[in-house]
Amino acid sequence: NVGIRRRMARFFRRDGRALIFAMDHGFEHGPTDFEEHWEHVNPRIILRKVIRAGVDGVMMLPGLARIAGDELRPNVGLMIKLTSKTELRPKDDQLLQSQLGFVEDAVKLGADAIAATVYWGSPAEDVMMRQFAEIASYAHDLGFPVVQFAYPRGPYINERYGKKEDYRVVMYGARAAVESGADMIKTYWTGSRETFAKVVEAAAGVPVLLSGGAKTEKPVDFLKLVWEVIEAGGAGAVVGRNIFQRENPEPFIKALIKVVHRNEDPEEAAKA
Ligand code: FBP
């Protein structure tokens, strides 16, 4: 499908890698995520900074794209995520993301890709699979690539594997994403290059992007992690807190770009 291929290419440079800024946290975690650098709660302010610094794409929910999408330059890919949940929900309902927008909404907002989360292994896996299938089927029909946030989580995983970041669990989620029709996968760090390489192999050619995770105290530690992802064959990273919770995101993004696109040593990249 030419449409899917052309739109995918808006995120990835010629090296097949991408650095994407994530900003759905005001919904998924609540505005407290922005309290470290409160001005970043304003999507226009943080978007201006990340775009100036050179990210390849941004990911957000439909409402933020509606109010701040005109900050995006044409060469920045827009990923619109159609599922989410708040942290205000009862604990037992935290393992389900609900659909909060439709493929048509994302298309009207100028999306280049449609994203949705699946919590593989959740008691609500069935609902999320169907939700993903519907979104993917419609998006594919219209020529739009679909990104799956393949996030295994649930009681059985903890019982059997100890933690959701066990590579066997992450690899399973990535493979399930491929087999359910994802064009790109976003998933957790497994703790080592060797194990992440297995996740990439299980994804059988579908690009695997790291899900950033909580801010590391030292910026260089996050650069090192991303470097391992790239060495493992990962296609880049989708990063939120590690960017917007830093006082000065621009030099940090420039360092990330050096690691993602130029294989630069993280310590060297951090110095510049
Ligand atoms: P981060 O880089 O801040 O981890 O952002 C990536 C992301 O997937 C966000 O899109 C999402 O809001 C958040 O992580 C979800 O994290 P979790 O479900 O682990 O709390």
Side-chain angles (χ1 to χ4, degrees):
N1 185 316
V2 183
I4 293 177
R5 283 203 302 277
R6 279 176 53 80
R7 292 185 174 98
M8 286 273 284
R10 292 189 190 144
F11 296 93
F12 297 99
R13 296 194 192 173
R14 292 170 91 102
D15 56 12
R17 300 178 195 157
L19 176 66
I20 295 164
F21 173 62
M23 197 186 183
D24 57 347
H25 304 66
F27 194 106
E28 205 147 315
H29 292 168
T32 46
D33 259 22
F34 297 100
E35 279 184 331
E36 281 189 50
H37 288 288
W38 186 237
E39 67 165 4
H40 293 161
V41 78
N42 181 332
R44 288 192 181 274
I45 291 179
I46 184 68
L47 282 175
R48 257 173 234 161
K49 291 184 187 179
V50 302
I51 289 164
R52 233 178 2 227
V55 295
D56 301 306
V58 302
M59 182 283 291
M60 53 180 78
L61 299 175
L64 279 202
R66 186 175 302 284
I67 62 170
D70 51 351
E71 294 291 341
L72 304 180
R73 297 190 188 145
N75 62 342
V76 177
L78 173 60
M79 208 175 257
I80 300 255
K81 185 164 171 258
L82 295 180
T83 65
S84 198
K85 64 158 174 70
T86 71
E87 282 200 352
L88 301 174
R89 282 185 180 187
K91 201 162 175 280
D92 283 353
D93 298 331
Q94 287 292 336
L95 291 174
L96 166 67
Q97 292 214 350
S98 311
Q99 193 168 340
L100 49 68
F102 301 93
V103 173
E104 290 98 325
D105 302 329
V107 172
K108 282 184 216 157
L109 288 164
D112 301 298
I114 314 292
T117 298
V118 180
Y119 292 147
W120 295 106
S122 143
E125 186 192 78
D126 175 62
V127 175
M128 299 188 82
M129 275 173 72
R130 282 165 196 263
Q131 210 166 254
F132 183 81
E134 273 182 31
I135 290 171
S137 164
Y138 194 39
H140 285 158
D141 258 2
L142 299 177
F144 284 76
V146 176
V147 191
Q148 187 179 115
F149 292 19
Y151 287 2
R153 52 182 74 172
Y156 182 56
I157 289 172
N158 297 336
E159 207 177 283
R160 184 157 171 196
Y161 300 95
K163 55 176 184 183
K164 64 185 184 353
E165 294 84 4
D166 184 299
Y167 87 92
R168 292 166 297 175
V169 177
V170 177
M171 180 167 84
Y172 201 156
R175 184 64 176 216
V178 173
E179 300 204 21
S180 54
D183 304 290
M184 301 178 231
I185 298 164
K186 172 173 179 282
T187 195
Y188 319 129
W189 175 234
T190 52
S192 72
R193 185 194 306 185
E194 293 69 29
T195 53
F196 203 80
K198 291 197 79 169
V199 176
V200 170
E201 278 161 21
V206 174
V208 179
L209 299 155
L210 173 77
S211 183
K215 187 185 85 169
T216 58
E217 209 41 64
K218 288 198 245 148
V220 71
D221 288 342
F222 189 69
L223 295 176
K224 284 182 187 166
L225 198 162
V226 171
W227 192 74
E228 295 291 345
V229 166
I230 297 297
E231 290 294 308
V238 184
V239 184
R241 286 165 286 177
N242 269 285
I243 291 176
F244 67 71
Q245 290 183 346
R246 294 192 195 278
E247 188 175 354
N248 209 352
E250 288 174 72
F252 184 66
I253 291 171
K254 287 183 180 152
L256 270 172
I257 289 171
K258 286 182 192 162
V259 172
V260 169
H261 290 297
R262 292 192 226 142
N263 294 68
E264 207 166 289
D265 177 77
E267 304 273 4
E268 290 302 313
K271 277 185 206 157

